């Protein structure tokens, strides 16, 4: 699932890479995303964390209330995506921020 390469996307990615702290990231995301978009991103990452820790769809649903379609989509990205979730999750684990 690759985004189309574009100069505009590259500029956004460069802007994200300039952020140094969680607070800077929070403020940037609050400015660039609607509340619903930020909630959706947060939910998807929570689902990825739970699936990668071995929880099944039912357990993830019970813990989060996220739709089965979203759980399925996140799982598909974990299994067949470009490795973005895997990279972030591995780095959080290495940094002691995930079990």
């Amino acid at each position: 699932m690759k985004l189309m390469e574009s100069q505009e996307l590259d500029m956004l990615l460069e802007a994200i890479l300039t952020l140094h702290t969680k607070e800077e990231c929070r403020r940037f995301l609050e400015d660039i995303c609607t509340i619903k978009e930020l909630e959706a991103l947060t939910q998807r990452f929570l689902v990825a964390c739970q699936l990668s820790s071995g929880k099944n769809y039912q357990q993830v649903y019970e813990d989060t209330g996220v739709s089965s379609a979203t759980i399925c989509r996140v799982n598909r990205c974990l299994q067949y995506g470009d490795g973005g979730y895997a990279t972030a999750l591995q780095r959080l684990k290495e940094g002691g921020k995930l079990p």
Side-chain angles (χ1 to χ4, degrees), residues 79-92:
Q79 300 300 316
Y80 308 109
D82 290 330
Y85 279 127
T87 300
L89 293 167
Q90 183 61 37
R91 290 184 182 161
L92 287 173

Side-chain angles (χ1 to χ4, degrees), residues 3 12 16 25-26 28-50 64 66 70 73-74 77 85 88-89 92:
L3 285 174
L12 174 61
I16 291 168
C25 290
R26 179 180 289 113
F28 181 78
L29 290 172
E30 286 176 353
D31 283 349
I32 202 166
C33 297
T34 66
I35 290 171
K36 288 290 185 194
E37 290 167 337
L38 196 49
E39 286 173 350
L41 292 171
T42 302
Q43 280 184 334
R44 288 180 195 148
F45 194 70
L46 176 59
V47 168
C49 291
Q50 292 195 359
T64 66
V66 173
T70 297
R73 180 187 186 286
V74 170
C77 289
Y85 279 127
L89 293 167
L92 287 173

